[in-house]
């Protein structure tokens, strides 16, 4: 539970830092479409940092290991989804876009796992 809270807080800060870097540091270096890709990555990164905090709090409240598992799946999805987009923009390797949906799928699965856990325990 505690690790999800810590990961959520750290990733919240990281999402703000990377969002600011994209808005200011990359503006003169990449085209508009890549800036939009970066913005999507940092937006999803931030939303799912909050989801990690929520999941950690819910797991602490209900004591459900299934909520902790959901948090780990959300964390993995966030890393793959946002991470692949960040690397795509920085490297210019467009093939990384093929990995991004795997992260999105993990995010969806994590949210559904959380919903199921809440249904069972809340």
């Amino acid at each position: 539970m505690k690790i999800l809270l810590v990961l959520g807080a750290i990733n919240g800060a990281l999402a703000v830092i990377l969002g600011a870097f994209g808005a200011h540091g990359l503006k003169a270096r990449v085209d508009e479409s890549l800036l939009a890709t970066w913005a999507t990555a940092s937006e999803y990164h931030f939303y799912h940092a909050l989801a990690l905090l929520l999941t950690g709090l819910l797991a602490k409240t209900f004591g459900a290991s299934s909520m902790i598992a959901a948090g780990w799946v959300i964390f993995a999805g966030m890393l793959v989804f946002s991470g692949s987009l960040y690397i795509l923009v920085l490297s210019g390797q467009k093939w990384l876009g093929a990995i991004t949906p795997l992260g999105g799928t993990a995010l969806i699965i994590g949210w559904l796992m959380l919903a199921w856990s809440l249904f069972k325990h809340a």
Side-chain angles (χ1 to χ4, degrees):
M1 292 171 255
K2 184 177 180 179
I3 189 70
L4 292 177
L5 296 171
V6 171
L7 285 172
I10 290 170
N11 275 283
L14 192 57
V16 172
I17 292 165
L18 291 170
F21 174 71
H24 303 290
L26 291 178
K27 198 171 198 173
R29 300 178 197 268
V30 300
D31 65 35
E32 286 295 319
S33 68
L34 289 176
L35 283 177
T37 299
W38 188 277
T40 298
S42 61
E43 185 178 346
Y44 274 72
H45 190 171
F46 189 71
Y47 291 150
H48 290 89
L50 293 174
L52 290 176
L53 289 171
L54 174 66
T55 304
L57 290 172
L58 290 169
K60 184 174 175 118
T61 301
F62 295 107
S65 62
S66 57
M67 290 179 191
I68 295 170
W72 282 110
V73 173
I74 290 170
F75 179 65
M78 180 181 64
L79 286 178
V80 174
F81 182 87
S82 293
S84 65
L85 292 178
Y86 290 139
I87 295 169
L88 181 151
V89 172
L90 293 175
S91 71
Q93 298 296 314
K94 302 287 186 191
W95 65 268
L96 287 165
I99 296 170
T100 306
L102 298 174
T105 301
L107 292 172
I108 293 166
I109 291 168
W111 281 107
L112 291 173
M113 287 172 66
L114 181 59
W116 180 251
S117 184
L118 285 166
F119 178 76
K120 289 188 335 189
H121 299 287

